[in-house]
Amino acid sequence: MQWRALVLGLVLLRLGLHGVLWLVFGLGPSMGFYQRFPLSFGFQRLRAPDGPESPALGPAGRPGPPGGPSGPSWLQPPVPGAAAGRRRGPRRPRPGVCGPAHWGYVLGGWGRGPDEYEKRYSSAFPPHLRAQMRDLARGMFVFGYDNYMAHAFPQDELNPIHCRGRGPDRGDPSNLNINDVLGNYSLTLVDALDTLAIMGNSSEFQKAVKLVINTVSFDKDSTVQVFEATIRVLGSLLSAHRIITDSKQPFGDMTIKDYDNELLHMAHDLAVRLLPAFENTKTGIPYPRVNLKTGVPPDSNNETCTAGAGSLLVEFGILSRLLGDSTFEWVARRAVKALWNLRSNDTGLLGNVVNIQTGHWVGKQSGLGAGLDSFYEYLLKSYILFGEKEDLEMFNAAYRSIQNYLRRGREACNEGEGDPPLYVNVNMLSGQLMNTWIDSLQAFFPGLQVLIGDVEDAICLHAFYYAIWKRYGALPERYNWQLQAPDVLFYPLRPELVESTYLLYQATKNPFYLHVGMDILQSLEKYTKVKCGYATLHHVIDKSKEDRMESFFLSETCKYLYLLFDEENPVHKSGTKYMFTTEGHIVSVDKHLRESPWKEFFSQEGGQDQEGKSVHRPKSPELKVINSSSNCNRVPDERRYSLPLKSIYMRQIDQMVGLI
């Protein structure tokens, strides 16, 4: 009898331990039953509609472990006819409230009742706690920035573990992970300029701007990726220039004594050095890389990703409209149209890799992550900034295709049959599922949905990525939603989840997102802080680190965390409407950027060069400065184009940016 009692006691102890794991962490082995929680990680293996069980597929299509999880409706193709009947555009905004049961899942509380989550995450976020988190975010930025200036400047990046700088890998030109980004132009300092201003540090902002003016040159034998140089460097120079020349000075006195538009001249110089990428390409789609001294390398790759080639319009467009020179916007817009014209006639989707000479899709995967993400983002943001109707029309068509072919699961987030919605990777030609993973870059998409008013979908998708963060204390670069495990394990301090969290809080004012931000802040402090900064996580499970702090950590991650908790920031209170670029650089949205004297020129000259000749560009006039405060009348042949307000949706966007 004693041994029976002992065995029974051990069994009960084991069950109790498993129950604790489920309750606290949402971990532990299956208990042998199918639990249907929102966004549940407890799916059964897939059964074919009329056949036997199919094995779960692991990474690269390999069979997963027996009994491995899978998401039934996510794996199923769209029901025939359902795509045509699904909503054709963003739904009307609904209250930004995520149901308690949904939060229970997100926080791993498999056995907790809804009242506990309602109490913990719906209650007001105390002002003193918000101030504490704001100061923690500012301290995070200062720690990284000060260590970069002390140990790495004038090099491009900080190696925070060994406390030294990093520049291009001259010994290995094929090391694109480094050389695409680092151009030997003090990247981290340049990228962080507007973060200094947003945090109100006028003295350091002024000092940093003078350092950039006096020490940074683009006359370098550096081969860089056009996309990275544009969003990180060109975008930051333009943002800082507009902050300096803003007559209202909402962030404090950020003016520079005797400033003579040097940052704008530097932006122009850099953009001219990037222009060769658009020459000698049969499609108008640019080469992916240029040498800042010599132009396109002789051995340049003819293949580029859609996001890299099609996400230049915001920065190039701002530059053109500040200078009164259509060249830059023209080449960027030409690339966007060329990519758009290559989309599938059947699905309306684009692939992720294209040959710039033949227009042939080398990569036919269509999704929301790497290779495509910012292409969609800039279709919408270009319309918000410039008011060109065709940008919005392209975005609306793209969003319909995304909803029809990439979105799987039930229609509503918290109700209805089937699994909660998820956006998957599909073949651009057929809309068929290509793999069972998502990447961390896709976490930007809820923020984009906020901008178009599809808040309910944004809430649900954001919860999925936050659930992954809660599990690992970071967001793995690639996550297999069928195996419920990371495929690629590193986390380079990316900002996309933080960005969506910030925008969702601004849209809903729900304190839940302040708790999310606090979780992210505390995870970063706990797992990534090292001697001289914050380090990339090499492995999100064992928390081993890599000696690299990418510039976007200061320009985006810290910025969005700070703004999330700084409710009184001029970004929210000044009365000026702002938009963030894909690198997190702040741009004021005003009518001057919607004044385009060359609109008709685009429609006449925007055709594709199919003969393989050099791209014909309008002659670049002498540099003319047009800032938002006083020089708008210097735009040649100035005209005002009536805003396209033919639909409720378009009117909502214009109301959002305060233009009507």
Side-chain angles (χ1 to χ4, degrees):
M1 294 298 293
Q2 289 182 343
W3 68 268
R4 291 179 180 175
L6 179 61
V7 170
L8 180 61
L10 289 173
V11 169
L12 292 174
L13 178 62
R14 182 177 180 182
L15 289 173
L17 289 173
H18 290 169
V20 170
L21 286 173
W22 280 117
L23 288 170
V24 178
F25 301 107
L27 304 173
S30 173
M31 307 297 277
F33 56 88
Y34 179 51
Q35 295 178 320
R36 258 207 180 279
F37 292 99
L39 292 180
S40 173
F41 282 164
F43 292 117
Q44 291 176 318
R45 282 197 299 162
L46 174 67
R47 289 183 182 274
D50 297 306
E53 239 180 33
S54 302
L57 296 179
R62 296 187 298 272
S70 65
S73 64
W74 296 341
L75 284 165
Q76 299 292 339
V79 178
R86 185 169 284 167
R87 63 185 183 277
R88 288 294 179 179
R91 289 174 291 191
R92 288 184 178 275
R94 299 187 185 182
V97 177
C98 201
H102 196 65
W103 293 358
Y105 158 73
V106 168
L107 301 167
W110 298 102
R112 300 179 182 182
D115 291 343
E116 180 175 349
Y117 293 104
E118 193 73 26
K119 180 179 179 181
R120 181 178 178 186
Y121 290 96
S122 290
S123 60
F125 203 84
H128 73 276
L129 184 58
R130 171 178 281 186
Q132 181 182 342
M133 292 300 105
R134 179 201 62 208
D135 293 344
L136 181 60
R138 177 164 46 204
M140 181 178 289
F141 171 83
V142 169
F143 186 69
Y145 176 84
D146 286 352
N147 274 287
Y148 165 77
M149 295 303 297
H151 302 291
F153 176 80
Q155 292 184 272
D156 287 309
E157 283 182 352
L158 169 68
N159 290 355
I161 296 176
H162 290 97
C163 303
R164 56 174 178 249
R166 179 200 296 267
D169 188 350
R170 303 297 191 191
D172 183 9
S174 66
N175 185 2
L176 300 182
N177 185 44
I178 297 296
N179 294 328
D180 271 358
V181 178
L182 309 189
N184 194 21
Y185 37 40
S186 303
L187 174 64
T188 297
L189 175 63
V190 175
D191 212 0
L193 289 177
D194 66 312
T195 307
L196 289 166
I198 286 173
M199 292 186 177
N201 192 340
S202 59
S203 60
E204 191 60 37
F205 174 78
Q206 293 162 346
K207 177 183 175 182
V209 168
K210 292 175 183 177
L211 271 177
V212 169
I213 292 171
N214 293 328
T215 66
V216 174
S217 168
F218 301 120
D219 190 26
K220 299 289 178 67
D221 185 20
S222 299
T223 299
V224 296
Q225 192 183 87
V226 175
F227 170 72
E228 295 290 355
T230 297
I231 66 168
R232 299 199 196 204
V233 183
L234 182 63
S236 185
L237 293 172
L238 294 171
S239 175
H241 168 73
R242 285 174 65 80
I243 289 171
I244 294 168
T245 57
D246 186 347
S247 61
K248 297 179 181 178
Q249 289 296 302
F251 302 108
D253 184 9
M254 300 293 163
T255 58
I256 306 293
K257 185 179 180 181
D258 299 322
Y259 179 70
D260 191 23
N261 302 301
E262 287 91 345
L263 295 186
L264 183 59
H265 284 268
M266 292 178 69
H268 179 252
D269 177 43
L270 175 60
V272 168
R273 295 173 186 274
L274 299 178
L275 281 180
F278 297 86
E279 298 179 350
N280 299 310
T281 159
K282 296 179 181 179
T283 61
I285 302 169
Y287 286 90
R289 298 172 184 87
V290 295
N291 183 284
L292 295 177
K293 262 185 181 292
T294 62
V296 176
D299 59 347
S300 184
N301 190 354
N302 284 329
E303 297 175 0
T304 189
C305 70
T306 305
S311 304
L312 310 173
L313 184 52
V314 165
E315 289 82 4
F316 275 46
I318 293 172
L319 181 63
S320 275
R321 294 176 188 231
L322 291 179
L323 299 178
D325 177 358
S326 63
T327 304
F328 308 101
E329 182 174 346
W330 183 75
V331 295
R333 191 170 291 280
R334 181 173 183 263
V336 171
K337 291 180 180 178
L339 288 164
W340 183 250
N341 290 335
L342 294 175
R343 69 194 186 281
S344 168
N345 291 328
D346 296 323
T347 65
L349 298 172
L350 294 87
N352 59 343
V353 180
V354 68
N355 185 297
I356 66 171
Q357 301 296 351
T358 66
H360 173 71
W361 287 108
V362 180
K364 296 182 176 63
Q365 176 176 300
S366 191
L368 300 178
L372 275 159
D373 49 353
S374 55
F375 177 80
Y376 300 125
E377 178 185 3
Y378 269 21
L379 290 179
L380 178 63
K381 290 186 175 180
S382 294
Y383 171 72
I384 292 173
L385 274 180
F386 308 133
E388 301 290 349
K389 181 180 177 181
E390 64 179 346
D391 295 334
L392 183 60
E393 290 172 344
M394 286 188 287
F395 176 79
N396 279 337
Y399 196 79
R400 286 194 295 267
S401 293
I402 288 169
Q403 295 299 316
N404 290 341
Y405 293 99
L406 272 60
R407 190 183 190 274
R408 304 292 172 88
R410 62 185 179 231
E411 178 71 13
C413 180
N414 287 326
E415 59 188 14
E417 295 298 321
D419 302 304
L422 182 70
Y423 292 83
V424 300
N425 299 318
V426 303
N427 185 292
M428 63 167 288
L429 301 176
S430 65
Q432 296 300 306
L433 187 71
M434 286 193 71
N435 50 56
T436 59
W437 51 259
I438 52 94
D439 64 52
S440 63
L441 290 172
Q442 289 176 243
F444 92 98
F445 197 67
L448 189 65
Q449 290 181 304
V450 167
L451 295 184
I452 61 173
D454 204 351
V455 177
E456 181 181 336
D457 235 32
I459 290 169
C460 199
L461 187 59
H462 173 274
F464 177 80
Y465 293 104
Y466 179 47
I468 300 172
W469 183 284
K470 286 292 291 183
R471 176 171 285 191
Y472 301 107
L475 203 58
E477 189 71 354
R478 186 179 290 178
Y479 182 82
N480 192 304
W481 47 259
Q482 184 184 34
L483 297 180
Q484 298 163 25
D487 276 355
V488 179
L489 289 151
F490 71 91
Y491 169 64
L493 309 175
R494 289 201 188 277
E496 283 75 18
L497 179 61
V498 184
E499 176 186 8
S500 289
T501 302
Y502 165 65
L503 292 172
L504 270 166
Y505 177 70
Q506 290 300 314
T508 67
K509 297 301 180 182
N510 194 312
F512 169 70
Y513 296 105
L514 299 176
H515 288 276
V516 173
M518 183 169 65
D519 276 349
I520 294 173
L521 259 174
Q522 292 173 340
S523 294
L524 290 171
E525 282 289 316
K526 180 177 181 180
Y527 298 124
T528 71
K529 191 173 185 178
V530 292
K531 182 179 179 182
C532 292
Y534 294 84
T536 292
L537 286 182
H538 175 72
H539 196 293
V540 297
I541 297 176
D542 66 24
K543 303 300 187 291
S544 56
K545 299 173 181 65
E546 296 180 17
D547 196 9
R548 187 177 187 186
M549 187 179 81
E550 293 223 38
S551 67
F552 54 65
F553 176 69
L554 299 182
S555 72
E556 296 186 80
T557 307
C558 292
K559 179 185 295 165
Y560 288 129
L561 283 169
Y562 179 80
L563 286 173
L564 174 65
F565 294 107
D566 188 19
E567 189 71 12
E568 300 302 314
N569 194 278
V571 172
H572 310 133
K573 296 291 188 179
S574 68
T576 301
K577 303 302 180 184
Y578 293 98
M579 191 193 77
F580 295 93
T581 71
T582 195
E583 183 71 9
H585 297 306
I586 195 165
V587 180
S588 59
V589 181
D590 56 57
K591 294 179 181 179
H592 302 104
L593 289 179
R594 288 200 165 199
E595 295 168 353
S596 167
W598 47 76
K599 183 174 182 179
E600 292 180 2
F601 170 80
F602 286 150
S603 62
Q604 295 169 2
E605 301 289 335
Q608 297 180 9
D609 178 1
Q610 299 294 341
E611 303 299 325
K613 299 178 182 179
S614 298
V615 175
H616 169 70
R617 297 196 310 269
K619 184 178 179 181
S620 177
E622 183 180 349
L623 177 64
K624 287 187 287 186
V625 177
I626 303 168
N627 64 48
S628 61
S629 59
S630 61
N631 293 327
C632 60
N633 291 328
R634 296 176 62 184
V635 180
D637 300 323
E638 182 190 41
R639 304 177 207 166
R640 290 176 180 263
Y641 293 92
S642 59
L643 301 182
L645 302 174
K646 296 182 180 178
S647 71
I648 294 175
Y649 168 43
M650 294 160 70
R651 182 174 292 275
Q652 286 174 339
I653 291 182
D654 279 329
Q655 288 174 335
M656 177 189 69
V657 300
L659 294 177
I660 60 172

